Amino acid sequence: MAQEGEDSVTRALKIKREEFRVEIRKRTMDRMFAEKRTCHSTSEPAHLKNLTEEERRATTSKSVVEFKKALLEQDWSRAGQTLEVLRHLSSNRDGPTTKHIGKTGVLPYLVDLLDIKYASYPKVQLEAVWILTNIASGDSTDVANLVAIDGVSKIIGMLFWTKDTAHIETAIWALGNVCGESLIYRDQLLAMGIIDLVLEILGSQICEYKILKTLVWLTSNLVRGRPYPPEREVLRLLPVLAQTIHMESEDILSDVMWSISYLSDVSINLCNRLIELRLIPRIAKLLLHKNFLIRIPTLRAVGNLANSTDEHTKLLLENGVLVGIGALLEARKPVIRREACWALSNLFACPTELLEYAVQTLSLIHISEPTRQAEISYAVFCLKKKKS
C-alpha cells in the first residue's frame, strides 16, 4: 500500500514489514480456523461412545440401509431416528471418517431432503443438513463430493424459504465450512449471491444470537484468503462488521476482528471505509481485551491500518493503540510478542512529528530477552532509520 512520494527508506521498510507479516500470520490462522469447522453433536448416546472404529463403520452402514428403507416406506419417524445416529457418528472425530459416510451413497438423499417439499418433516431436514455440515468439515475430497452433487446450491436454496432457526444456523455453518475449504468455493459462493443472503438474514427478525454468531463466522470466511475477493463485494459486508463490533460476545468479536484484519489488508480504499465507520476507538479498546483470541486479530488490523496512510497512523496513535501494543509486548506467547513488534514497526514508519509522539508514549523493554530479541530489534531498526 505504498503512497506516492514516499522515500526509498520508507518503501524498504514497508517491503521488509510485508515479508515479516506474512511469516507471522501463517502460524495461527489455519489452526484456529480448523478448530471452528466441526459442528459437534451434543449428548452422544451411550451406546455410540465406546464403539471401536470398525464398529462405528458397521453402525454407519447399517444406519444408512435403515434410513433408505424408511425413506422408501415414507416412515419419517424412523428416518429421523436413523439420521440422528448418522449425525452423531459424523460429528465424532474419533468415529468413522466422513469419507466412509460418503461412500455409502447417502449424500444425494440428504441433499434432496433439503427441498421445500419436505418442509413438513423438520426433524428429518435438520438431521440431513447437520450431517452435510459435518461432511463439509472434512477434507477437500469430502467438500468436493458435496459440491459435485449440487449440495451447496441446495443448502442456499433452503435458506431462502425456511424460517426454522435451527435449520438456518446449521445451514450457515455448512456454507462457512465450504467457503473456508478453498478460494474456488469461496468465489463460487460469492457468484451465487451469498452476500445478498447474509444481508437479508442479518436484517430479519429471525437473526437471533446463535444465527448471528454463525453468520459473522461465515462473513470472516468470505473475506479470508489471497487473492482477496473483489473489493466491490466485500464492501457490502461492512454493515455486518459495524453492527457487531460493539457487541460483548467474545466469539463474535473474534470473528469480527479477523474480518477487519483481512479487509484492512486489501486496499487503502477499504481502510478508508473502515475509518469512516468510526471503528478505530473500538479497535483500540479491543487491544486490551482479556481474551487473546480477540487481541491477536485486533493487533493485525492495527498493523495493517498503520501500513496504509500516515493519516490512519495518526488516528491510531491518537486513540491510544500504543497502550495495547505495549501490554502485548509482555505477552507470554512469543508469536504474540512478534506480532506486536510487527505492528509497532508499522507505526514507527511514520512522519517525524508522529514518531516523536510515539516515542514519548511507549518505551521498549527487555530488548535483550532471547525470545523477542529479533522482533524488537527490527522495531528499533525502523525507529532508528526514521530518526536518522
Side-chain angles (χ1 to χ4, degrees):
M1 299 182 187
Q3 293 176 266
E4 294 182 3
E6 63 187 4
D7 57 34
S8 59
V9 172
T10 301
R11 285 195 298 270
L13 291 177
K14 289 188 175 182
I15 292 173
K16 181 68 175 178
R17 285 197 309 273
E18 175 66 18
E19 295 173 351
F20 190 67
R21 174 177 58 186
V22 170
E23 177 185 353
I24 290 174
R25 285 186 171 185
K26 290 180 179 179
R27 305 204 176 181
T28 58
M29 187 183 302
D30 290 337
R31 176 184 58 81
M32 295 177 66
F33 171 72
E35 290 176 353
K36 298 191 70 170
R37 287 190 67 186
T38 301
C39 190
H40 291 287
S41 293
T42 57
S43 303
E44 184 179 37
H47 69 279
L48 296 178
K49 287 184 178 180
N50 299 318
L51 294 180
T52 65
E53 181 173 340
E54 183 178 350
E55 289 171 336
R56 286 180 176 273
R57 290 176 180 272
T59 302
T60 298
S61 299
K62 179 181 178 181
S63 297
V64 169
V65 172
E66 292 179 354
F67 163 70
K68 290 180 179 180
K69 182 178 179 181
L71 198 62
L72 183 64
E73 297 174 354
Q74 295 190 358
D75 186 342
W76 299 107
S77 176
R78 186 153 57 95
Q81 292 171 359
T82 55
L83 286 182
E84 183 177 353
V85 173
L86 286 174
R87 183 247 297 177
H88 283 297
L89 291 169
S90 65
S91 298
N92 192 318
R93 292 186 178 183
D94 296 325
T97 64
T98 51
K99 286 184 176 60
H100 179 66
I101 295 176
K103 289 177 180 179
T104 64
V106 74
L107 296 188
Y109 292 88
L110 300 179
V111 168
D112 184 60
L113 285 173
L114 305 186
D115 195 276
I116 192 173
K117 65 184 178 183
Y118 298 109
S120 299
Y121 313 106
K123 162 70 174 176
V124 172
Q125 285 194 318
L126 176 60
E127 297 295 350
V129 72
W130 200 331
I131 295 169
L132 293 175
T133 299
N134 291 335
I135 295 295
S137 72
D139 61 22
S140 57
T141 302
D142 297 318
V143 179
N145 290 337
L146 180 60
V147 173
I149 59 175
D150 206 26
V152 174
S153 62
K154 286 288 188 178
I155 293 172
I156 292 177
M158 186 179 73
L159 284 171
F160 278 108
W161 61 261
T162 184
K163 302 300 180 184
D164 187 296
T165 55
H167 290 63
I168 293 171
E169 179 195 358
T170 309
I172 293 172
W173 199 305
L175 295 177
N177 283 343
V178 173
C179 180
E181 173 57 35
S182 78
L183 299 182
I184 294 176
Y185 297 144
R186 180 202 67 185
D187 293 343
Q188 288 178 356
L189 282 171
L190 289 171
M192 295 169 72
I194 188 65
I195 292 182
D196 291 327
L197 186 58
V198 167
L199 297 177
E200 180 178 337
I201 296 174
L202 181 68
S204 68
Q205 295 181 347
I206 60 175
C207 192
E208 58 184 30
Y209 172 74
K210 287 185 177 181
I211 292 177
L212 180 61
K213 182 174 69 171
T214 312
L215 200 66
V216 171
W217 180 64
L218 170 60
T219 298
S220 71
N221 290 341
L222 288 172
V223 299
R224 175 179 180 263
R226 294 187 178 187
Y228 292 113
E231 189 171 321
R232 65 181 182 278
E233 292 292 332
V234 297
L235 278 171
R236 301 172 60 206
L237 291 170
L238 293 184
V240 180
L241 307 179
Q243 179 175 329
T244 52
I245 192 174
H246 297 287
M247 299 185 70
E248 295 301 323
S249 165
E250 295 184 358
D251 288 332
I252 288 179
L253 285 176
S254 177
D255 287 323
V256 167
M257 289 314 306
W258 278 116
S259 296
I260 292 177
S261 73
Y262 303 144
L263 293 176
S264 58
D265 195 37
V266 175
S267 69
I268 291 179
N269 179 50
L270 264 173
C271 288
N272 287 333
R273 294 296 297 273
L274 291 170
I275 298 296
E276 291 170 3
L277 290 172
R278 303 181 184 275
L279 302 183
I280 298 302
R282 177 61 169 166
I283 290 174
K285 184 177 180 180
L286 291 176
L287 271 178
L288 296 170
H289 199 282
K290 63 181 180 180
N291 190 335
F292 276 100
L293 295 181
I294 295 172
R295 296 173 78 178
I296 291 174
T298 302
L299 186 60
R300 294 183 182 184
V302 168
N304 287 337
L305 290 167
N307 195 33
S308 56
T309 69
D310 292 339
E311 290 75 16
H312 296 164
T313 300
K314 181 179 179 181
L315 188 58
L316 290 167
L317 292 172
E318 290 174 345
N319 279 274
V321 298
L322 288 178
V323 177
I325 294 176
L328 289 170
L329 287 173
E330 292 295 314
R332 293 182 178 181
K333 295 184 177 181
V335 64
I336 297 177
R337 297 197 296 268
R338 285 193 292 269
E339 191 86 4
C341 290
W342 163 75
L344 195 62
S345 69
N346 282 359
L347 289 167
F348 281 171
C350 60
T352 303
E353 60 272 17
L354 292 180
L355 185 62
E356 292 176 352
Y357 172 81
V359 171
Q360 293 173 1
T361 306
L362 180 69
S363 296
L364 291 175
I365 55 177
H366 301 318
I367 294 179
S368 62
E369 182 179 338
T371 58
R372 68 180 79 174
Q373 185 173 8
E375 294 78 23
I376 290 186
S377 296
Y378 178 63
V380 173
F381 165 75
C382 296
L383 174 62
K384 290 181 177 178
K385 281 289 186 180
K386 292 300 293 184
K387 291 186 72 175
S388 62

